[in-house]
Amino acid sequence: MKNTLECPTIIEVIRIATNMYNQGWDERNGGNISIILDDDEVNEYIPTTPIRKIDIGGICVKQLANKYILVTGTGKYFKNIQYNPEINLGIIRISSDGTSADLVWGLIDGKNPTSELPTHLENHAVRIDVDPKHRVVIHCHATHSMALSFVLPEDEDEITKTLWKMQTESIVVFPEGIGYVPWMVCGGKEIGDATAEKMKQYRYVIWGMHGVFGTGQTIDEAFGLIETVEKAATIYFLVKDNIRQSITNEQLKQVAEAFNLNYKKIL
Ligand code: 13P
Ligand code: ZN
């Protein structure tokens, strides 16, 4: 078996975690990442002997049975992941009945995966049902995107339309719109259930007054979604008190037609 630290997904997670920290979206231990590893990568790089049991918070994720998932640890600082991946990251294998997991690599200080593991796993399960190639869930505290939840109505269609109108290409990147979960206590099954319900329809969900979740087949896709929404939200705060002209519903429909988009019909 090759050196686990040379596993391409681990290298990519270290790069993206560092990038997100540098954007200011992952202060302290804010945010968490999880990625389903593909079979080839597991066979080449990942040890399969169980080290210890991992509690997955009372959920059942049959879609993830026997899958290996790379996760960030709870309480781990994103700025430190690059310096010591074996302490800050872990790889778990979901049991064949989907109700528990074993740690097979990492988290060598005895800590657990992220406290948002129920949300991550439930999101993966739902997204795999929609898209069998789905692999990545990223949570972070993207500054302007979460700030939106303090000033816009708590209404997915209003939030979506606002963001579509803040740059021409928003509708191209997230034509299905974005989901919204009003404020809840984080870190358990309840908020996981609420988020996964939204993920049946959306690849991106805002947690009110907390942060955001982006998903995708690749890290680039999930991150690209998060940075595109964040860009639109940033423009919103730059212009909101001084708007003279804006993108109209008609113009958005023209973009949708030009790009042949299956967009949410809220215009
Ligand atoms: P963890 O440190 O447990 O990953 O929690 C961080 C966070 O952002 C909670 O929502
Ligand atoms: Zn958070």
Side-chain angles (χ1 to χ4, degrees):
M1 197 189 71
K2 294 186 186 164
N3 180 352
T4 307
L5 286 171
E6 286 166 16
C7 170
T9 298
I10 293 185
I11 293 170
E12 214 184 339
V13 163
I14 291 169
R15 286 195 188 129
I16 204 72
T18 306
N19 182 335
M20 286 164 57
Y21 173 72
N22 290 334
Q23 308 268 0
W25 302 344
D26 294 282
E27 70 290 343
R28 200 174 183 271
N29 64 311
N32 19 78
I33 301 174
S34 67
I35 303 182
I36 300 169
L37 299 175
D38 63 37
D39 292 344
D40 290 348
E41 211 167 30
V42 171
N43 292 338
E44 264 189 276
Y45 295 95
I46 312 302
T48 52
T49 315
I51 299 169
R52 56 187 161 95
K53 281 263 170 244
I54 296 293
D55 178 6
I56 66 168
I59 60 168
C60 178
V61 281
K62 288 212 177 71
Q63 299 91 325
L64 307 181
N66 304 318
K67 293 203 182 297
Y68 289 79
I69 301 176
L70 175 64
V71 289
T72 51
T74 187
K76 306 298 188 167
Y77 288 32
F78 265 48
K79 73 180 175 63
N80 294 340
I81 292 177
Q82 59 184 318
Y83 303 115
N84 205 333
E86 282 169 290
I87 283 190
N88 294 299
L89 303 175
I91 296 174
I92 60 172
R93 177 179 188 261
I94 304 295
S95 63
S96 48
D97 66 359
T99 62
S100 68
D102 286 308
L103 181 75
V104 296
W105 177 87
L107 296 174
I108 55 174
D109 58 353
K111 296 271 170 58
N112 283 321
T114 170
S115 58
E116 307 297 359
L117 192 62
T119 298
H120 277 258
L121 297 181
E122 289 191 78
N123 284 350
H124 282 301
V126 165
R127 290 306 309 166
I128 277 189
D129 280 343
V130 178
D131 171 11
K133 287 191 175 161
H134 159 89
R135 284 179 58 231
V136 180
V137 173
I138 299 176
H139 167 57
C140 68
H141 301 165
T143 314
H144 300 84
S145 309
M146 63 178 277
L148 285 178
S149 62
F150 291 84
V151 298
L152 289 181
E154 294 189 294
D155 178 308
E156 287 168 350
D157 292 349
E158 283 306 311
I159 297 171
T160 296
K161 273 191 283 188
T162 301
L163 293 172
W164 280 354
K165 290 186 177 192
M166 287 301 123
Q167 60 191 352
T168 302
E169 299 208 1
S170 276
I171 193 170
V172 180
V173 178
F174 48 96
E176 79 274 34
I178 67 174
Y180 184 78
V181 173
W183 188 92
M184 291 175 75
V185 174
C186 55
K189 178 177 179 326
E190 205 179 323
I191 197 166
D193 290 348
T195 313
E197 192 54 38
K198 296 295 179 188
M199 286 285 177
K200 290 177 183 168
Q201 190 179 348
Y202 304 107
R203 291 167 298 145
Y204 178 100
V205 171
I206 293 178
W207 273 1
M209 293 100 188
H210 181 135
V212 310
F213 275 84
T215 67
Q217 296 179 355
T218 61
I219 290 180
D220 273 353
E221 215 178 89
F223 180 79
L225 204 45
I226 290 171
E227 65 178 347
T228 303
V229 174
E230 177 63 9
K231 179 65 173 278
T234 306
I235 295 170
Y236 172 75
F237 284 106
L238 283 173
V239 304
K240 73 181 179 59
D241 296 326
N242 299 299
I243 290 180
R244 284 192 174 198
Q245 51 275 323
S246 60
I247 302 172
T248 64
N249 288 355
E250 262 334 292
Q251 287 168 329
L252 283 177
K253 285 181 193 165
Q254 286 171 21
V255 176
E257 197 176 324
F259 286 80
N260 201 16
L261 302 176
N262 182 16
Y263 67 102
K264 192 174 188 194
K265 301 296 182 293
I266 51 177
L267 295 173

